[in-house]
Amino acid sequence: MHNDKFENMKFGTKAIHAGIKPDPSTGAIMTPVFQTSTYAQSAPGNHKGYEYSRTHNPTRDALQKNLAALENGKHGICFSSGMAAIDCIIKLLNPGDEVISANDLYGGSYRIFTKIFANYGIKFHFIDMSDIQNIENYVNEKTRLIWAETPTNPMMHIIDLRGASEIAKKHGILFGVDNTFASPYLQTPLDFGADIIMHSVTKYIAGHSDVVMGALVVNDDELHEKLSFLQNSSGGVPGPQDCFLVLRGIKTLHLRMQRHCENGKKVAELLKSHPKVGEVYWPGFPSHQNHDIAKQQMRDFGGMISFCLKDDNIEEAFRILENFKFFTLAESLGGVESLCGHPASMTHASIPKEEREKVGLKDSLIRLSVGIEDIEDLIWDLNQAIGR
């Protein structure tokens, strides 16, 4: 059971066993928290594989192996946050290089691209990737990276992973995917040709709103070596206690995601039939622009849903958000508890209003992260908060 052959395990077995071995010194079933900064050496340079915890830590190593297995990848690298993981990817590039990014993406990603790395001479193109042929229009000899989210945040667009990866490979470009909204349970982009997977581990993977962490998963050895060098040099590493908490959270990832999906479907259907609700953005609807692609590359459709009000009234949106009893108004997503947010003033406030509106992100848009509570209570909460 406790071996390194993860490829034949089913997902739920991987979540519990991949990369995890009983501690050889005590037989402890759970990975110990190696709360140490440094390690004894018997002679200069002669050690047991660990010198300093910025570079390697046994608790972190176990988590990295586990995450790699969940994504059907070879190498995992954990970071102090999702933004630290994205920062590491862009540091692969040089001044003058260009990035083609989805135009509907997390506000923090937009901010680091436009407010930090653009100042170092990297050019970013933000385009609609719902039709991946749009990518071809922006590829040139300076393009080094295609960056996608799918489903996107917060408009729930679906990007064709296989199609985008074929374009990237044709032009010799790296293809990176933020897989946070789907989690490895719903989607494994490496299997569709992606080069780098990024997760805000804070969200579904950790799953309990008690950790901030990021991760990258890759297959290519040279790419892993470059990213590991950048991480060690820059120092954006998580602590062992956080790694322990994520390992514990992962053990129920498959069970949690199943309930997120079940509840998400019922919430989406309720919203779609509600007289005060306008557009509902959820890839499980057959009417969704890329529903068929979502069916091909996702196991299920997830618990992230966005919706607008018919009258697009921001004051009414605020009233609803403040009136929820079980949906908590808060940043973030993917925890066991249901959360609600107002992207225009919260997660996406760093994106200018005119850019938000280009992708349909209206001021009345509400984003829900549907948790794993009893669905009857969530339905009651939505009805009482929105009203009739």
Side-chain angles (χ1 to χ4, degrees), residues 203-204 206-209 252 256 259-260 263 326 333-339 369-374 378:
K203 313 303 194 296
Y204 283 112
H208 293 75
S209 301
T252 58
R256 290 185 284 106
R259 177 60 72 88
H260 284 301
N263 284 356
F326 296 127
L333 60 106
V336 291
E337 69 291 326
S338 292
L339 298 177
S369 172
V370 182
I372 65 171
E373 301 95 337
D374 278 290
L378 298 183

Side-chain angles (χ1 to χ4, degrees), residues 195-243:
D195 298 298
I196 307 173
I197 306 308
M198 194 287 296
H199 282 283
S200 175
V201 174
T202 310
K203 313 303 194 296
Y204 283 112
I205 290 176
H208 293 75
S209 301
D210 53 7
V211 173
V212 173
M213 190 185 294
L216 302 177
V217 180
V218 301
N219 275 325
D220 184 80
D221 294 342
E222 184 180 352
L223 183 57
H224 173 248
E225 194 173 319
K226 286 179 181 176
L227 291 166
S228 295
F229 172 81
L230 287 166
Q231 181 194 38
N232 187 49
S233 301
S234 299
V237 298
Q241 178 67 30
D242 283 351
C243 293

Side-chain angles (χ1 to χ4, degrees), residues 14-263:
K14 280 186 191 177
I16 293 166
H17 294 294
I20 312 299
K21 297 178 181 178
D23 177 53
S25 62
T26 64
I29 291 293
M30 293 295 106
T31 304
V33 180
F34 286 89
Q35 194 72 55
T36 184
S37 63
T38 193
Y39 305 83
Q41 302 187 20
S42 57
N46 188 359
H47 52 78
K48 298 178 180 180
Y50 296 94
E51 299 171 87
Y52 188 59
S53 279
R54 173 165 38 78
T55 310
H56 296 292
N57 175 281
T59 315
R60 191 165 91 228
D61 283 354
L63 174 58
Q64 289 174 161
K65 288 177 183 175
N66 187 259
L67 284 172
L70 294 182
E71 280 286 5
N72 297 332
K74 190 173 180 183
H75 305 287
I77 312 172
C78 288
F79 293 80
S80 52
S81 69
M83 294 315 303
I86 293 174
D87 175 81
C88 188
I89 294 171
I90 307 301
K91 283 176 180 171
L92 291 167
L93 309 181
N94 294 305
D97 289 348
E98 296 190 8
V99 177
I100 300 171
S101 169
N103 64 352
D104 179 34
L105 77 169
Y106 170 53
S109 303
Y110 182 89
R111 180 176 55 212
I112 199 172
F113 292 168
T114 60
K115 301 294 187 185
I116 296 180
F117 284 107
N119 296 331
Y120 294 96
I122 297 172
K123 186 174 182 180
F124 295 86
H125 302 278
F126 298 96
I127 71 166
D128 180 4
M129 287 189 187
S130 296
D131 179 356
I132 54 127
Q133 290 310 308
N134 291 335
I135 298 171
E136 287 278 7
N137 300 331
Y138 288 85
V139 173
N140 61 50
E141 69 280 357
K142 295 180 180 178
T143 310
R144 297 290 178 269
L145 173 69
I146 296 169
W147 182 254
E149 296 177 6
T150 182
T152 62
N153 182 2
M155 302 306 296
M156 307 305 295
H157 292 301
I158 297 295
I159 295 167
D160 181 350
L161 291 170
R162 196 178 300 283
S165 69
E166 286 170 358
I167 292 171
K169 284 180 172 46
K170 181 171 76 172
H171 295 284
I173 301 165
L174 283 174
F175 178 35
V177 178
D178 180 340
N179 201 30
T180 300
F181 265 31
S183 87
Y185 177 78
L186 295 183
Q187 182 171 268
T188 48
L190 292 176
D191 293 336
F192 294 88
D195 298 298
I196 307 173
I197 306 308
M198 194 287 296
H199 282 283
S200 175
V201 174
T202 310
K203 313 303 194 296
Y204 283 112
I205 290 176
H208 293 75
S209 301
D210 53 7
V211 173
V212 173
M213 190 185 294
L216 302 177
V217 180
V218 301
N219 275 325
D220 184 80
D221 294 342
E222 184 180 352
L223 183 57
H224 173 248
E225 194 173 319
K226 286 179 181 176
L227 291 166
S228 295
F229 172 81
L230 287 166
Q231 181 194 38
N232 187 49
S233 301
S234 299
V237 298
Q241 178 67 30
D242 283 351
C243 293
F244 172 85
L245 286 171
V246 173
L247 277 168
R248 185 175 69 168
I250 284 174
K251 292 183 191 304
T252 58
L253 176 60
H254 53 305
L255 302 176
R256 290 185 284 106
M257 292 308 299
Q258 288 162 15
R259 177 60 72 88
H260 284 301
C261 291
E262 290 169 13
N263 284 356

Side-chain angles (χ1 to χ4, degrees), residues 294-309:
K295 281 202 300 186
Q296 291 165 23
Q297 64 192 31
M298 298 178 73
R299 185 195 293 250
D300 206 332
F301 303 111
M304 295 303 302
I305 302 163
S306 295
F307 68 97
C308 292
L309 300 176

